[in-house]
Amino acid sequence: MLKAAGAAAGAVGIGTAVTPTPAVAAGTYAHPGLLHTRADLDRMATKVKAGAAPYTAGFAKLTANPHSQSGWAANPQATVIRGGAGQNYGILYNDIHAAYQNALRGHVSGDSAHLDTAVAILNAWSAKLTGLGGNADRFLASGLYGYQIANAAELVRDHPDFELGRFQELLTKVFAPLSDDFLVRHNGAVVSNYWTNWDLANMCCVLATGILCDDKAQVARAVDYFKHGEGLGSIRNAIPVVHDDGLAEWLEAGRDQGHALLGVGLMGTFCEMAWNQGIDLYGYDDNRFFKGTQYVAKWAMGGDVPFTDNTRRKGAINGWSGSETVTEAAPVNPAMTRPIWAMIANHYTKRRGLSASYLTQIVAKSGPEGGGGDYGPNSGGYDQLGFGTLAFTRDKATGTGGSPSPAASGSAAAGSGAGSGSGSDARPQTGTAASPSASASSSAADGDLAATGSNEIIGWTAATGITALAGGMLLLRRRDRVRRQSQ
């Protein structure tokens, strides 16, 4: 039988977790406080200086990357287009990764030339960029590059030459409005049209913008969407089924491996940024994300995992429409990886002290993690900022702590207990989906919906014999022929 809150696969000490940074309790946000805190940066610098493994291997990946060189020159554009005629978005993501890598390298090495380079790149873009264009893929640009450029800026926000106010205006007027609009309107499509990673990218942009700009309303909207949003980026839609063996299905595993890994990395990014502001989403809903990452890690390494048939509606509101059903997890290439695992594994095994055999195996297999430029020349190789071996390896926490209180977590995080799933945010679970929705497919019948859907999906068939849930947006049933595997 399915159940909503099965015991975490192989988990021990599930209540032993350090408390997130209580920044919001003081009425403000901690800076730097997106993917990296001051303590994180100091730890990296100290470990590298001491020659400690695996930090030195992670730092070597950073210094070998062409983007991390202090001679990088920015190439800012007034308009960045992703999707359709005139695409030039590669210019933006290359410069963002150069800014981030130089900023990170500067903090770890103490070489101010790298910090100066990061500032010069970011200042150049905030002085020139006025808009994002293209077809539906413009929302991928707003989400992915919005959260990434915010993280680069957060690392140099106190640099005397950094134009912080102008950069905050860039985020609030160019990136965040598109991301906000996507999460509300989904580009005029039915909410289940767009796959998980579309929502998550834009959620990351909204959250990062809120933190960098000290905008509590932005942060609250992003956190609420993670918990209760209608699209597939919300946690119970991205991870609709939790099995009693402690593994939880990642819905986009039915699409393909690359996009499933992207989504896991983006949800991890969202949780890490929230954690650094005292908001525990890693533990939300009885460690639901942990169970989903264990599932994806096992599947991505070639393991047998359960899968539940699901059907989603797609199309435009008052326009073309259709539906698709996926019946099994997609095939995988165990050699495929993204630089996503170190951050997630270190949170659950080091901060929380959980036993996580699949995460532990895959992070060892994937390291040392690189970043943009190390995973191929195409845009997919720049979807994550990376360098997790350097940035997120940590010693095991010696103290223990319970769930963050509403005071410690701030108004945006009230009730988000560390894995308790209790309080005002708790919802009855049935082992299937709560207000589910899929994400990102499109049809040539509508030129402004993303052309990244049905022809790339593995395993779609006509829907038959399936029970409807949540107004017919997403339909789930258990495949009896697929046996569950306990850890």
Side-chain angles (χ1 to χ4, degrees):
M1 296 294 294
L2 305 181
K3 67 179 183 179
V12 295
I14 203 161
T16 60
V18 296
T19 304
T21 308
V24 184
T28 186
Y29 293 114
H31 298 294
L34 290 179
L35 285 175
H36 313 301
T37 66
R38 171 55 56 191
D40 293 333
L41 297 170
D42 291 345
R43 180 185 68 249
M44 294 178 227
T46 299
K47 295 287 190 179
V48 169
K49 184 176 181 180
Y55 298 89
T56 50
F59 188 61
K61 292 289 287 187
L62 175 62
T63 58
N65 194 302
H67 293 76
S68 76
Q69 309 310 309
S70 60
W72 189 280
N75 183 19
Q77 307 292 307
T79 302
V80 167
I81 298 172
R82 176 164 179 166
Q87 287 194 136
N88 63 349
Y89 67 102
I91 298 171
L92 174 60
Y93 68 64
N94 274 282
D95 275 2
I96 289 173
H97 283 257
Y100 172 78
Q101 291 180 28
N102 271 281
L104 190 62
R105 184 173 178 176
H107 279 290
V108 175
S109 68
D111 187 345
S112 61
H114 293 286
L115 297 173
D116 293 344
T117 297
V119 167
I121 295 168
L122 296 169
N123 282 348
W125 278 94
S126 68
K128 190 165 185 178
L129 182 62
T130 58
L132 301 175
N135 59 22
D137 286 359
R138 69 190 183 278
F139 295 109
L140 292 175
S142 65
L144 292 170
Y145 311 137
Y147 95 78
Q148 290 177 358
I149 201 169
N151 269 274
E154 185 76 353
L155 292 178
V156 296
R157 64 179 295 134
D158 294 328
H159 192 287
D161 295 331
F162 181 54
E163 298 285 351
L164 176 60
R166 192 174 71 198
F167 186 86
Q168 289 173 324
E169 187 172 333
L170 173 70
L171 281 180
T172 58
K173 291 188 176 180
V174 176
F175 288 96
L178 276 176
S179 290
D180 270 317
D181 185 74
F182 181 82
L183 295 175
V184 173
R185 297 179 178 84
H186 286 89
N187 195 33
V190 296
V191 70
S192 57
N193 186 78
Y194 286 94
W195 281 105
T196 305
N197 61 86
W198 290 69
D199 264 10
L200 285 169
N202 286 289
M203 290 160 59
C204 285
C205 176
V206 173
L207 179 63
T209 298
I211 293 170
L212 187 136
C213 298
D214 294 303
D215 186 335
K216 292 183 179 181
Q218 283 282 94
V219 173
R221 285 199 299 276
V223 171
D224 183 70
Y225 197 96
F226 176 92
K227 297 175 179 178
H228 307 308
E230 293 183 4
L232 250 190
S234 63
I235 188 167
R236 294 186 183 105
N237 297 338
I239 310 171
V241 181
V242 179
H243 295 274
D244 56 9
D245 63 4
L247 295 180
E249 297 179 22
W250 187 265
L251 190 67
E252 211 161 0
R255 183 187 184 191
D256 61 59
Q257 184 182 4
H259 286 97
L261 296 179
L262 169 59
V264 169
L266 288 170
M267 186 171 284
T269 295
F270 191 92
C271 290
E272 184 70 17
M273 292 189 297
W275 175 272
N276 287 333
Q277 299 300 333
I279 306 166
D280 184 9
L281 300 178
Y282 275 118
Y284 181 72
D285 197 17
D286 195 25
N287 287 291
R288 195 180 191 96
F289 181 50
F290 169 71
K291 299 167 188 177
T293 61
Q294 283 273 81
Y295 174 98
V296 173
K298 181 180 181 181
W299 165 69
M301 290 187 294
D304 185 23
V305 293
F307 196 83
T308 302
D309 291 7
N310 62 80
T311 297
R312 68 187 182 93
R313 288 182 55 209
K314 59 176 188 172
I317 296 174
N318 298 321
W320 68 274
S321 63
S323 65
E324 292 175 320
T325 300
V326 64
T327 62
E328 59 189 352
V332 299
N333 173 5
M336 178 186 291
T337 191
R338 285 176 180 259
I340 64 173
W341 296 112
M343 176 176 63
I344 298 166
N346 274 276
H347 174 81
Y348 287 116
T349 64
K350 300 299 179 62
R351 283 183 180 146
R352 296 202 113 97
L354 302 185
S355 173
S357 63
Y358 301 124
L359 284 174
T360 301
Q361 290 172 47
I362 203 165
V363 75
K365 180 182 177 186
S366 302
E369 290 179 355
D374 292 323
Y375 296 86
N378 298 323
S379 61
Y382 294 81
D383 286 340
Q384 279 85 29
L385 290 169
F387 300 104
T389 304
L390 168 66
F392 301 110
T393 300
R394 60 185 73 247
D395 297 327
K396 192 168 185 177
T398 55
T400 61
S403 304
S405 67
S409 299
S411 60
S416 62
S420 66
S422 61
S424 60
D425 292 312
R427 292 182 179 181
Q429 295 291 292
T430 63
T432 52
S435 63
S437 53
S439 251
S441 155
S442 80
S443 165
D446 190 315
D448 200 37
L449 292 179
T452 57
S454 59
N455 62 343
E456 297 179 0
I457 296 170
I458 299 172
W460 293 108
T461 64
T464 56
I466 298 176
T467 303
L469 294 174
M473 283 293 183
L474 184 66
L475 310 168
L476 301 170
R477 68 183 173 109
R478 179 66 191 278
R479 290 182 60 82
D480 293 333
R481 70 176 180 82
V482 179
R483 61 188 177 92
R484 288 168 296 175
Q485 297 290 306
S486 59
Q487 184 172 332

